[in-house]
Amino acid sequence: MTRARRLLALALLVLVALYAAWFGRHAQWFALAFFAVPPLLLATALLRGGGARTGFWAGVLALLWFSHGVMVAWTRPPERLFALGEVALAVTIVLAASLTGLRARLATRASRR
């Protein structure tokens, strides 16, 4: 497993832990399941050797998590720290999911010169 995939799996698992702390403290079980299950499934798939589609979907869902985090940080001050953590992890997930493709693209450009 490459470093980028390990970083992606770790960021997804940290996001699951963030959601557990955020929604579990008020026993919001539906919200916990809605938000925590997708990154948990993606992390499990990555750790089992999932293909490029797993990284792609992690990046796509991270854009939704980013939007959710910005919205909550802006509208609910008591939850701002959780929301900003979600934003930071979403950015990390997008970057980690894109890292392999970015490296390949930069290597292609370097070989053309």
Side-chain angles (χ1 to χ4, degrees):
M1 179 182 280
T2 64
R3 257 190 269 164
R5 292 175 78 72
R6 277 186 292 216
L7 175 63
L8 180 56
L10 178 64
L12 287 166
L13 291 174
V14 171
L15 185 64
V16 171
L18 175 84
Y19 286 142
W22 188 354
F23 299 119
R25 65 189 174 118
H26 296 296
Q28 297 172 334
W29 303 114
F30 180 78
L32 178 62
F34 182 80
F35 283 99
V37 170
L40 183 62
L41 292 175
L42 289 167
T44 303
L46 279 169
L47 294 172
R48 289 186 172 184
R53 287 184 186 176
T54 307
F56 169 77
W57 284 110
V60 168
L61 288 176
L63 296 174
L64 297 173
W65 298 323
F66 177 85
S67 299
H68 176 261
V70 169
M71 179 192 67
V72 171
W74 187 261
T75 59
R76 293 185 250 167
E79 298 178 43
R80 186 166 288 149
L81 286 179
F82 287 114
L84 292 176
E86 180 183 27
V87 168
L89 286 167
V91 169
T92 303
I93 290 167
V94 169
L95 291 174
S98 305
L99 196 57
T100 305
L102 287 172
R103 282 186 184 153
R105 182 178 175 111
L106 292 175
T108 303
R109 279 189 181 174
S111 68
R112 287 184 196 165
R113 291 181 190 172

